[in-house]
Amino acid sequence: MTFALCIAPDPASLAALIGNRADHILGGAIVGANPPLRPALPWSAIQAVAAPLLGDSSAWIQELWQTDEDCRTGEFAGIAFRRNSELLYGVLRFDEQNFVGTSGQLPLQTATEEAYRRIFALLDRQSLPYLWRVWNYFADINRETDGLERYRQFNIGRYNAFQACGRTAAGAVPAACAIGLRDGPLSVGFIAGGQPPLAIENPRQISAYDYPAAYGPRSPTFSRAVLITLAQQQSLFISGTASIVGHRTVHPHDVAAQCHETLDNIAAVVAEANHHRQGPSFSLNSLTYRAYLRYDSDYPVFRDVISQRLGTDTSLVCVQADICRHDLLVEIEAMATLPARSR
Ligand code: 3EB
């Protein structure tokens, strides 16, 4: 089985991508403030990331996970999913208003815990138990309610669900991102499989699950990257990566320096992954990137650093969105696939 991330920036390339092989599409994300009203595919395992695209004339970009097997559609406990023999892509959207905080819990915490409990229940039922990569979006990530920043509320709920569902909350944890949007529901998209992922950490950073308590009552549950080794391919999912060294934000008011530091962190994660790589290495300019900028006015500076470091024909989608620490101005995630080994 093989899978690949394909990006369609307009209706024509989307139609060409889907072609007569819609059965082979697992799911994906639609990114942009103005997505088309009518979905291009007849099922709903598509995560809507409602954030303005920067530096791009298109209104939206569609990312699709394509496989070489027929996929089937399912629904479980509010999760829309598609799966093939080895791989599952799912999306869940929760309106927080429907989650009244239970005994001292806040609604976002309760919604997050319930979301992850349902995801783990689905994965167990489908016998594809390993969560590889999670994309988390919710409104007002930096706002404090009842004395606790919403990102920190989210972290408590996520941690509780990992604990409750018999998953470790440190070490072998999925790659992830957690991003703030202007409004909208808690949206969790994920890829899971039958193969355990190899979690990769960054020697320049403290593992997020070991962050000190100053960053919240529960640490974030994610690894810096996961490496997936299948018979025919190795795939690297790099988590949202920011200008953090050790556990501290560095260059708080300098977007250019944050971009450089972030790329240094991604380079360090890629180097770690390459220790486990059979065959030619992953390289920075062969990754597919998604970037989040807190201020759209920082885009020209961001673009300069990117072209300086990665050249001008990198696959990179950039949107305006909030990062989980108020002093972070940019966050970049990436993925790559290579053949399993050279022949
Ligand atoms: C960081 O390194 C920046 O909570 O799932 C990056 C990726 C970040 C994932 C998450 C948070 C998350 O801590 C923030």
Side-chain angles (χ1 to χ4, degrees):
M1 195 277 300
T2 64
F3 70 97
L5 175 61
C6 303
I7 296 184
D10 54 63
S13 51
L14 180 58
L17 219 168
I18 296 170
N20 55 3
R21 291 269 57 141
D23 285 354
H24 285 192
I25 292 167
L26 195 62
I30 189 149
V31 182
N34 300 299
L37 291 174
R38 204 196 300 256
L41 290 154
W43 33 261
S44 50
I46 298 282
Q47 185 171 39
V49 181
L53 282 175
L54 301 180
D56 205 297
S57 49
S58 20
W60 50 268
I61 281 175
Q62 176 88 63
E63 296 186 353
L64 292 175
W65 295 99
Q66 216 165 28
T67 84
D68 62 348
E69 290 182 350
D70 283 351
C71 301
R72 66 177 178 79
T73 303
E75 203 276 341
F76 171 80
I79 305 171
F81 71 90
R82 300 255 299 162
R83 65 161 293 169
N84 65 19
S85 68
E86 294 181 46
L87 182 68
L88 185 149
Y89 178 88
V91 188
L92 169 160
R93 298 159 51 102
F94 275 177
D95 280 320
E96 288 172 49
Q97 299 92 294
N98 298 336
F99 292 83
V100 179
T102 50
S103 61
Q105 297 193 356
L106 299 161
L108 178 60
Q109 177 189 332
T110 306
T112 304
E113 179 171 340
E114 183 62 24
Y116 276 82
R117 281 173 174 269
R118 291 188 193 182
I119 290 167
F120 289 131
L122 166 68
L123 299 184
D124 288 343
R125 280 169 180 246
Q126 293 290 324
S127 302
L128 295 172
Y130 298 104
L131 199 49
W132 293 353
R133 186 12 170 143
V134 190
W135 291 263
N136 301 286
Y137 300 93
F138 52 95
D140 292 323
I141 192 167
N142 302 125
R143 198 175 79 214
E144 217 175 87
T145 63
D146 296 274
L148 194 61
E149 187 191 33
R150 279 165 54 79
Y151 175 57
R152 300 178 180 202
Q153 301 174 24
F154 166 87
N155 278 323
I156 302 173
R158 175 169 57 177
Y159 175 92
N160 286 348
F162 273 74
Q163 292 282 325
C165 298
R167 263 72 176 181
T168 178
V173 290
C177 59
I179 293 293
L181 301 180
R182 186 192 286 266
D183 45 33
L186 168 67
S187 168
V188 184
F190 56 96
I191 291 189
Q195 288 292 322
L198 179 71
I200 289 167
E201 291 301 308
N202 179 350
R204 307 178 81 241
Q205 297 182 311
I206 288 178
S207 295
Y209 45 78
D210 288 333
Y211 281 166
Y215 297 97
R218 288 296 183 204
S219 295
T221 310
F222 70 95
S223 60
R224 299 301 179 184
V226 297
L227 182 65
I228 309 295
T229 302
L230 304 178
Q232 291 166 275
Q233 71 182 67
Q234 279 192 309
S235 291
L236 180 64
F237 292 91
I238 299 178
S239 289
T241 305
S243 182
I244 294 173
V245 177
H247 58 76
R248 290 198 172 82
T249 300
V250 292
H251 324 297
H253 302 291
D254 183 342
V255 71
Q258 287 203 11
C259 288
H260 280 292
E261 201 71 55
T262 299
L263 291 172
D264 291 347
N265 277 328
I266 293 178
V269 170
V270 167
E272 286 298 297
N274 282 330
H275 294 149
H276 305 278
R277 166 77 193 139
Q278 310 131 3
S281 296
F282 292 106
S283 74
L284 272 196
N285 44 24
S286 64
L287 306 180
T288 301
Y289 293 90
R290 193 191 285 174
Y292 306 93
L293 273 187
R294 185 181 291 278
Y295 302 114
D296 53 7
S297 54
D298 284 339
Y299 183 73
V301 172
F302 166 83
R303 199 65 247 186
D304 279 352
V305 176
I306 291 294
S307 40
Q308 216 177 303
R309 295 280 299 262
L310 306 175
T312 46
D313 50 350
T314 316
S315 168
L316 187 148
V317 172
C318 184
V319 297
Q320 188 273 314
D322 294 332
I323 324 297
C324 66
R325 289 187 189 179
H326 64 273
D327 50 9
L328 289 173
L329 302 170
V330 58
E331 184 171 305
I332 305 176
E333 61 194 42
M335 85 89 52
T337 289
L338 288 172
R341 58 186 64 79
S342 51
R343 286 173 189 279

